[in-house]
Amino acid sequence: MLIDRFGRIITNLRIAITMKCNLNCIYCHREGQKESKKENKTEMSVEEISKIAKAFKELGIKKVKITGGEPLLRRDVCDIISSMPDFKEISMTTNGIYLSKLAWDLKDSGLDRVNVSLDSLRRDVYKYITRGGDVNKVIDGIATACDAKLTPIKVNMVILKGLNDDQVSEMMEFISNMNSESIKTILQVIEILKLPGLEKYYKDITNLEKEIASKAEAVILRGMHFRRQYKIGNVVVEFIKPVNNREFCMHCNRIRVTSDGKVKPCLMRDEGIKVVGLEGKELINAIKKAVNLREPYY
Ligand code: SAM
């Protein structure tokens, strides 16, 4: 089992498999990897990713999420999934642009479910936020992922002041229509991380959460980051509010691997321990060393 110095048990792993992306979102944190560093262009092979995932599994990790950049840009993405050890859940976060093409193959490779980033249903707003993306491709991708049973799908909506902060109800309606029989899709309302340059988009989502909470028939408190889910009719809305939130950090059970093979203890911190190329005891010890560096950001 992996436990850090603050008693937090690490159960979730997030592996970036590329830094390349086919969109260029105005607010992207790039999973905490710096854009300009040369080594970010280096990608791990399927074998390297699999070896690292197996070491984490041996150490007690239960769930893995594949991320990027855009993970669906890697031609060997299905090989990466099928090379994973037997985790309780293998999921992916994607912008959804290639999902309608790949959803069935991903399911056949062993992917359990997807998170799809969709900040607005409005063509022009989506295009502006993503710097050129076509929202219809994402909507088609979500529909195919539903058919392929990559469910529950989580739609990730990052709230951006003045751009989409008035659009939560229309996103809920979109999800409600998709969920007509059962809950296949959950809305995740995400507070933007206040990174340098992003202050102009920052909006505290406390009031949004209060508004949804006042209408909820049921509330579920999740272990992960102490997040709350609210059920209204056939829609579940989850709030992710990391900024200045000590509870969020106190209940963080996640660790990351960067696309160039470093274990990154926290999204918000620059440190990382290189694990690519290591084997056996050396690999296990390097992972434990990275876990020891974990410290709550807030
Ligand atoms: N391309 C994939 C995608 O779109 O899901 C994976 C990478 S993307 C960096 C992963 C998630 O991080 C997306 O849901 C995105 O909205 C979220 N994200 C990116 N920058 C963020 C920020 N500054 N604050 C909060 N969430 C952010």
Side-chain angles (χ1 to χ4, degrees):
M1 196 189 277
L2 284 172
I3 308 180
D4 70 14
R5 290 181 293 127
F6 299 84
R8 298 174 298 177
I9 301 171
I10 326 293
T11 53
N12 290 32
L13 172 66
R14 201 166 165 109
I15 306 182
I17 60 170
T18 183
M19 269 299 104
K20 294 186 194 113
C21 194
N22 47 345
L23 298 178
N24 186 13
C25 299
I26 53 176
Y27 63 88
C28 188
H29 56 38
R30 295 181 168 77
E31 299 284 345
Q33 278 187 250
K34 294 274 175 297
E35 200 183 357
S36 56
K37 276 192 186 164
K38 225 191 187 168
E39 60 263 34
N40 282 342
K41 302 213 166 65
T42 317
E43 290 173 359
M44 293 183 284
S45 66
V46 175
E47 293 71 27
E48 283 164 340
I49 295 169
S50 171
K51 189 167 62 181
I52 293 168
K54 282 176 183 150
F56 272 102
K57 161 95 192 175
E58 212 178 290
L59 288 165
I61 290 289
K62 307 266 183 270
K63 294 186 180 181
V64 67
K65 177 162 274 129
I66 313 281
T67 182
E70 174 46 41
L72 296 184
L73 290 187
R74 267 191 76 155
R75 285 170 195 265
D76 53 3
V77 64
C78 289
D79 299 332
I80 292 172
I81 292 160
S82 50
S83 78
M84 287 285 146
D86 185 23
F87 286 109
K88 189 174 161 202
E89 182 184 274
I90 304 174
S91 65
M92 173 181 288
T93 175
T94 168
N95 60 34
I97 298 284
Y98 288 137
L99 202 48
S100 65
K101 278 190 195 153
L102 292 169
W104 290 96
D105 290 344
L106 293 167
K107 185 71 186 180
D108 288 346
S109 309
L111 192 70
D112 293 305
R113 45 166 300 272
V114 282
N115 284 30
V116 182
S117 305
L118 178 59
D119 301 321
S120 176
L121 292 163
R122 300 183 191 175
R123 249 189 112 175
D124 293 351
V125 178
Y126 182 82
K127 196 170 178 180
Y128 178 81
I129 293 172
T130 57
R131 295 193 175 103
D134 177 357
V135 73
N136 289 326
K137 290 191 177 158
V138 186
I139 294 171
D140 288 350
I142 293 174
T144 316
C146 270
D147 292 344
K149 301 211 164 33
L150 287 170
T151 51
I153 296 169
K154 292 192 174 176
V155 169
N156 287 355
M157 180 183 191
V158 176
I159 301 299
L160 303 158
K161 188 161 111 189
L163 288 173
N164 67 353
D165 49 350
D166 57 345
Q167 292 165 33
V168 172
S169 54
E170 63 192 60
M171 196 63 86
M172 284 173 70
E173 200 182 318
F174 164 73
I175 285 174
S176 171
N177 292 335
M178 218 156 24
N179 285 351
S180 45
E181 279 151 41
S182 58
I183 291 180
K184 298 172 219 142
T185 309
I186 292 170
L187 176 61
Q188 296 203 123
V189 175
I190 305 173
E191 188 171 69
I192 188 170
L193 287 169
K194 267 195 213 168
L195 300 171
L198 297 181
E199 296 84 356
K200 58 179 178 285
Y201 301 124
Y202 178 75
K203 173 153 178 164
D204 183 329
I205 60 172
T206 308
N207 286 340
L208 259 176
E209 182 165 356
K210 277 187 188 155
E211 203 184 310
I212 298 290
S214 70
K215 296 179 195 153
E217 298 142 23
V219 185
I220 303 154
L221 182 61
R222 293 190 60 203
M224 165 89 136
H225 295 149
F226 234 44
R227 302 175 185 182
R228 283 171 180 82
Q229 286 186 334
Y230 302 92
K231 188 171 180 302
I232 305 177
N234 66 352
V235 180
V236 172
V237 188
E238 179 167 334
F239 279 79
I240 306 181
K241 199 189 167 317
V243 180
N244 295 327
N245 187 350
R246 288 180 172 201
E247 274 193 339
F248 186 94
C249 289
M250 210 163 83
H251 295 89
C252 179
N253 53 16
R254 179 187 271 175
I255 196 148
R256 295 161 182 272
V257 174
T258 61
S259 60
D260 55 343
K262 292 192 192 105
V263 178
K264 192 170 162 58
C266 173
L267 169 73
M268 300 296 281
R269 295 179 197 276
D270 277 341
E271 68 222 357
I273 303 272
K274 195 174 166 192
V275 292
V276 69
L278 302 182
E279 311 236 0
K281 268 217 160 106
E282 267 186 353
L283 174 55
I284 298 282
N285 287 340
I287 293 173
K288 286 183 177 166
K289 203 168 155 191
V291 167
N292 256 329
L293 290 176
R294 272 170 56 91
E295 199 165 316
Y297 187 77
Y298 293 112

